[in-house]
Amino acid sequence: MKMGNSVQKESRQTKTLEESNCGPQIRHPSCHPENNMGGLSEPSTFVVVGAGHRGEGYARYALQSPNEMKVVGVAEPQAEVRRALQKAHGIPEERCYVDWQTLALEDRIADCVIIGTQDEDHVHSTTALAAKGYHILLEKPMATTAEDCRAIYRACQEAGIVLAVCHVLRYFPPVQKIKELIDSGAIGEVTNINHTEPVGFWHFGHSFVRGNWAKEKQSAFSLLTKSCHDVDLIAYWMSNTRCTKISSFGSLLHFKKEKQPEGAASRCLDCKVERSCPYSARRLYLDPKPQSPRWPMSAICPVKEPEKDYVDQLEEALQKGPYGKCVYDTDNDVCDNQVVNFEFENGATATLTMVAHSELACARQTIVYGSHGQLSWDGSMSKPLRQFDFRTKEAIYHDCQDTEESANWGHGGADYFIVKSFIGAVAKGMKKFIISGPEISLQTHLLCFAAEHSRRTGRVVDVTDSQWSVDGQSTKEQY
């Protein structure tokens, strides 16, 4: 391939997950030799608090590796969802709770809890169960305000328990490989990171217009609920230098009443123009018609063993519930596009773009620019990470191949790796397996709050100010 007057040479390096992520610069926590689970005398025990899509997904590890993890309890308000997890894991009736408050009234019944409740419940459930002595795997975000995130941090420090926040992408092999290459100096000094989170047109409509994260009062702003992963990734890759300034711009641009097509109805199943709308609930959820619950339909109609035709129940839910409403006629208020600019103390910069209107759904796009080369990643393990060396003009491809154990897990297998690392930390008493612990997770959440403060005030935020520190004072206005 010609490049100017020179010829670009290409070579390919195909590596297994272990070779690619356990090199001399960095060891992936889940494949660290000390995290070999073969010597465990008994599995770590868990209670699932919030057995929805995320809680149930993490609990899957127990079915796959019963010698390492056992689910012994569940706290879930939806009876059918609770019974499904009970049946899958053989949980006795006396260990099935209608909510986390009932669980917290009893003495500790397991080593750990998985907290997958709605975001606004995180602070109360986490602080209460930390006080009981449970180690905690906490779904992101930590909480919906800076002060609540600090409360979780303090509670876990005081209780002396292991907390892992589910910034699962830190545990993802390609992310680990990017970190390894940056830290090794393979591309010289990092000058800029350009990172995009394409949420996906249908996914944003489902979760952030019709769903649980559509309104700030019921959850939080979309940069926190969706893209705290991405703020965390940038901070992780740039962890050798501190972020000092942040600015952000964004808005709810499209999903508004004034953008509703002429002749549209308030519900898609009654709408005469829904066939021409990309956000049609009929197209997204009923074409093709699902024969059994699967995500995202399981969020709309969460029956596990339908007593009648599932499509009939799904259509009924669309007629009555929020997921059948026109995306231009709801009470959503979170941003559907936002950019965040970071400046670091050494002068490096980074840009994060979160956008709703994309073909790809959550397939992050990243370019890391260095003084001696650059890295390009398409957000998956299916395509290799590309490294281009400015000195040799060679492109090197790093294949972070999937493992049999992590295949078909959420976030490309990252969900598997965080659970494995968490169990290793608890079972072996080695917190170094956790790379998303309470302090670092609080720090990157505070960057999200600072970015949102910038967006709302129109000002560049100095994040070295004490109000954005782990032990500092929170802002007067909570976001």
Side-chain angles (χ1 to χ4, degrees):
M1 176 179 355
K2 291 263 180 112
M3 187 173 180
N5 295 323
S6 62
V7 177
Q8 179 185 3
K9 298 179 181 179
E10 294 200 9
S11 62
R12 188 175 188 86
Q13 295 183 354
T14 302
K15 301 184 178 183
T16 65
L17 183 151
E18 184 166 348
E19 292 170 333
S20 186
N21 295 283
C22 296
Q25 288 81 22
I26 189 168
R27 288 190 181 275
H28 190 287
S30 70
C31 59
H32 195 289
E34 294 179 82
N35 201 17
N36 185 327
M37 300 295 190
L40 294 182
S41 58
E42 57 185 22
S44 297
T45 54
F46 283 73
V47 180
V48 178
V49 178
H53 179 63
R54 300 301 291 152
E56 179 187 32
Y58 295 127
R60 171 186 168 192
Y61 194 97
L63 303 176
Q64 186 170 311
S65 301
N67 61 315
E68 300 173 21
M69 175 183 179
K70 183 178 181 180
V71 176
V72 299
V74 58
E76 164 58 49
Q78 296 182 86
E80 190 157 9
V81 175
R82 184 173 65 248
R83 285 194 296 269
L85 198 84
Q86 177 187 14
K87 181 178 179 181
H89 294 271
I91 302 170
E93 186 65 31
E94 63 271 19
R95 293 295 182 237
C96 296
Y97 305 90
V98 295
D99 51 37
W100 66 264
Q101 293 94 331
T102 308
L103 170 67
L105 292 175
E106 297 191 3
D107 293 335
R108 184 164 64 92
I109 66 168
D111 302 314
C112 316
V113 291
I114 297 170
I115 295 183
T117 60
Q118 289 300 306
D119 300 344
E120 62 271 22
D121 293 330
H122 285 186
V123 63
H124 302 297
S125 56
T126 302
T127 54
L129 294 172
K132 287 287 184 177
Y134 288 100
H135 301 297
I136 298 172
L137 185 65
L138 174 62
E139 177 59 357
K140 63 84 187 168
M142 290 180 76
T144 58
T145 71
E147 194 50 49
D148 284 351
C149 289
R150 289 189 177 102
I152 288 174
Y153 166 73
R154 291 192 296 266
C156 293
Q157 294 295 100
E158 292 169 4
I161 56 96
V162 174
L163 172 74
V165 178
C166 290
H167 283 308
V168 298
L169 294 179
R170 282 189 177 231
Y171 301 80
F172 194 32
V175 168
Q176 288 280 311
K177 188 61 182 177
I178 291 172
K179 175 69 170 168
E180 175 191 319
L181 291 168
I182 289 173
D183 289 352
S184 71
I187 60 169
E189 184 177 27
V190 173
T191 55
N192 176 265
I193 295 176
N194 189 325
H195 181 81
T196 299
E197 159 65 313
V199 182
F201 73 96
W202 67 267
H203 181 22
F204 195 92
H206 171 80
S207 296
F208 301 94
V209 179
R210 294 172 168 133
N212 292 328
W213 298 274
K215 292 179 286 188
E216 288 192 24
K217 286 186 177 180
Q218 291 185 359
S219 181
F221 51 96
S222 55
L223 183 72
L224 182 71
T225 59
K226 184 69 186 80
S227 292
C228 67
H229 274 315
D230 305 282
V231 173
D232 183 73
L233 280 182
I234 290 171
Y236 179 51
W237 288 325
M238 295 295 291
S239 60
N240 292 329
T241 182
R242 183 175 60 160
C243 181
T244 55
K245 294 179 182 178
I246 279 182
S247 66
S248 182
F249 307 92
S251 67
L252 173 58
L253 174 69
H254 184 69
F255 297 106
K256 299 187 290 187
K257 182 67 175 179
E258 57 265 34
K259 302 294 179 72
Q260 188 175 31
E262 185 177 353
S266 62
R267 288 195 170 273
C268 293
L269 298 191
D270 303 324
C271 185
K272 296 179 180 179
V273 300
E274 60 86 16
R275 289 182 178 275
S276 63
C277 178
Y279 307 99
S280 163
R282 185 184 299 278
R283 177 185 292 110
L284 295 178
Y285 304 126
L286 296 171
D287 185 17
K289 294 182 178 181
Q291 299 306 309
S292 60
R294 68 175 188 276
W295 195 85
M297 281 69 76
S298 57
I300 303 167
C301 186
V303 295
K304 298 296 182 178
E305 297 179 352
E307 296 180 358
K308 60 180 181 178
D309 184 82
Y310 180 67
V311 173
D312 290 343
Q313 294 182 76
L314 181 58
E315 287 184 347
E316 183 179 350
L318 292 174
Q319 285 284 13
K320 297 179 179 180
Y323 292 96
K325 295 190 69 175
C326 175
V327 293
Y328 304 102
D329 193 17
T330 72
D331 52 358
N332 59 297
D333 60 13
V334 300
C335 288
D336 57 18
N337 75 102
Q338 188 166 353
V339 294
V340 182
N341 304 304
F342 305 79
E343 184 177 73
F344 296 87
E345 60 185 349
N346 67 348
T349 57
T351 302
L352 163 63
T353 299
M354 183 275 289
V355 60
H357 307 101
S358 61
E359 173 188 1
L360 298 173
C362 306
R364 292 162 169 89
Q365 312 291 304
T366 305
I367 303 178
V368 183
Y369 298 97
S371 60
H372 290 62
Q374 71 180 53
L375 305 172
S376 303
W377 178 50
D378 78 340
S380 70
M381 283 204 290
S382 62
K383 294 181 180 179
L385 167 66
R386 185 178 186 270
Q387 174 190 350
F388 184 80
D389 192 307
F390 297 162
R391 296 157 293 191
T392 64
K393 296 184 174 63
E394 288 185 342
I396 303 170
Y397 294 85
H398 303 272
D399 285 331
C400 299
Q401 298 176 349
D402 206 351
T403 66
E404 183 178 348
E405 292 81 9
S406 64
N408 300 316
W409 274 72
H411 292 93
D415 290 358
Y416 167 85
F417 292 117
I418 192 173
V419 178
K420 185 175 180 64
S421 297
F422 179 75
I423 292 172
V426 171
K428 295 179 176 293
M430 303 184 75
K431 290 187 177 182
K432 66 181 179 181
F433 295 149
I434 301 300
I435 53 176
S436 57
E439 183 168 358
I440 191 62
S441 296
L442 173 56
Q443 289 172 352
T444 63
H445 275 65
L446 290 170
L447 293 179
C448 291
F449 291 110
E452 183 66 3
H453 185 69
S454 171
R455 186 188 73 83
R456 295 184 183 216
T457 62
R459 299 174 181 174
V460 176
V461 173
D462 179 357
V463 293
T464 65
D465 187 89
S466 62
Q467 68 181 12
W468 306 111
S469 68
V470 168
D471 298 317
Q473 298 297 315
S474 60
T475 58
K476 293 181 181 179
E477 184 177 4
Q478 293 295 317
Y479 297 132

